[in-house]
Amino acid sequence: MASTPGGNRRTRVHVVSDVHGNVRDLARAGEGADALICLGDLVLFLDYADHSRGIFPDLFGVENADRIVELRTARRFEEAREFGRRLWAGIGMDRAAAIEKAVRKQYAELFAAFPTPTYATYGNVDIPPLWPEYATDGTTVLDGERVEIGGWTFGFVGGGLRTPMRTPYEISDEEYAAKIEAVGEVDVLCTHIPPEVPELVYDTVARRFERGSRALLDAIRRTRPRYALFGHVHQPLVRRMRIGATECVNVGHFAGTGRPWVLEW
């Protein structure tokens, strides 16, 4: 913790989300902070800005990555799924085993880059059952749980809601709402996805509305945390806005910026 001229100790926390394989910058993300908070999406399946990066192009090549991005961006999700099925059938590999092997390689590198202490929750593209194998003693994984940092209470809710994309950790609205309820009143509410506010869920590059949570929005209005922090939407229409007494902040697309968002009190 940093000292102020009056002798009081201040706390500084760095927050990242949507890491998507950015090991190099993650290793430096905690420098100068008392703790690092990670709001998920560690895995890189496919980089929509650079189609040569990620598990998908490693397995199927850049040309096929170009095609699946084209289909998904056009919201032709069933065609994209059928295209993917044909690709998997063509290489004769067990899909689940191949993906798990690639994800494990990324997790080994990413979790090793976390500083101590790190507090982390899952994103919608993460695979929660694998996390206990890679989280060291310095990394605390929280989902529907709370922790105290520097005298403030932080609540964490991971994952995303169900979408046509069918990413690995999508859950029902009811299950998500139950985790929000379990967290209760906190100073800082940390989630992967944003509250369901049009300006916060619209991605200006993908040109679509991502899924936000109504239960999260209701909780912000009801419990009035100081901050609501989230990621998920890589290029939001609005990165920051107030909802009542709460400052709502998209902490940024860390894979692209390489910079953490800073909270100090």
Side-chain angles (χ1 to χ4, degrees), residues 191-204:
T191 59
H192 178 67
I193 63 173
E196 191 182 79
V197 177
E199 296 90 338
L200 297 176
V201 301
Y202 185 74
D203 191 306
T204 60

Side-chain angles (χ1 to χ4, degrees), residues 68-261:
I68 204 157
V69 168
E70 178 188 358
L71 291 171
R72 288 178 175 176
T73 302
R75 304 186 67 79
R76 293 156 62 184
F77 296 116
E78 190 51 50
E79 288 180 63
R81 280 192 285 273
E82 179 56 33
F83 180 63
R85 282 192 286 267
R86 292 200 303 272
L87 291 176
W88 282 105
I91 65 172
M93 295 174 64
D94 179 76
R95 179 173 183 164
I99 290 175
E100 182 174 321
K101 181 180 178 181
V103 169
R104 284 182 177 278
K105 182 177 184 297
Q106 290 189 15
Y107 277 164
E109 297 172 349
L110 289 157
F111 276 91
F114 278 144
T116 297
T118 291
Y119 302 93
T121 196
Y122 316 111
N124 60 292
V125 303
D126 286 310
I127 303 179
L130 298 182
W131 280 36
E133 297 183 40
Y134 298 96
T136 65
D137 291 341
T139 300
T140 303
V141 179
L142 301 130
D143 189 17
E145 299 164 283
R146 301 147 57 104
V147 68
E148 185 177 307
I149 306 172
W152 282 15
T153 303
F154 287 69
F156 290 79
V157 175
L161 298 175
R162 289 177 181 154
T163 72
M165 300 287 280
R166 298 184 184 176
T167 51
Y169 191 42
E170 294 181 354
I171 60 177
S172 70
D173 290 61
E174 293 76 17
E175 186 179 351
Y176 194 89
K179 292 195 294 184
I180 292 286
E181 185 68 24
V183 165
E185 294 187 14
V186 294
D187 293 295
V188 184
L189 186 50
C190 300
T191 59
H192 178 67
I193 63 173
E196 191 182 79
V197 177
E199 296 90 338
L200 297 176
V201 301
Y202 185 74
D203 191 306
T204 60
V205 174
R207 291 179 296 181
R208 65 169 179 257
F209 290 96
E210 303 290 355
R211 283 216 64 190
S213 169
R214 182 72 192 188
L216 173 57
L217 176 60
D218 291 344
I220 290 169
R221 288 172 170 162
R222 184 178 69 254
T223 65
R224 299 164 61 87
R226 300 172 192 260
Y227 290 91
L229 307 179
F230 47 87
H232 186 56
V233 182
H234 293 180
Q235 297 91 14
L237 185 63
V238 173
R239 292 196 175 275
R240 189 166 185 156
M241 69 184 298
R242 292 193 72 82
I243 297 176
T246 302
E247 191 74 12
C248 298
V249 182
N250 183 319
V251 300
H253 178 219
F254 187 76
T257 69
R259 297 188 304 274
W261 186 78

Side-chain angles (χ1 to χ4, degrees), residues 12-16 28-33 35-38 260-263:
R12 180 183 175 100
V13 169
H14 290 179
V15 189
V16 301
R28 300 193 295 261
E31 291 178 358
L36 179 71
I37 288 174
C38 179
W261 186 78
V262 177
L263 176 61

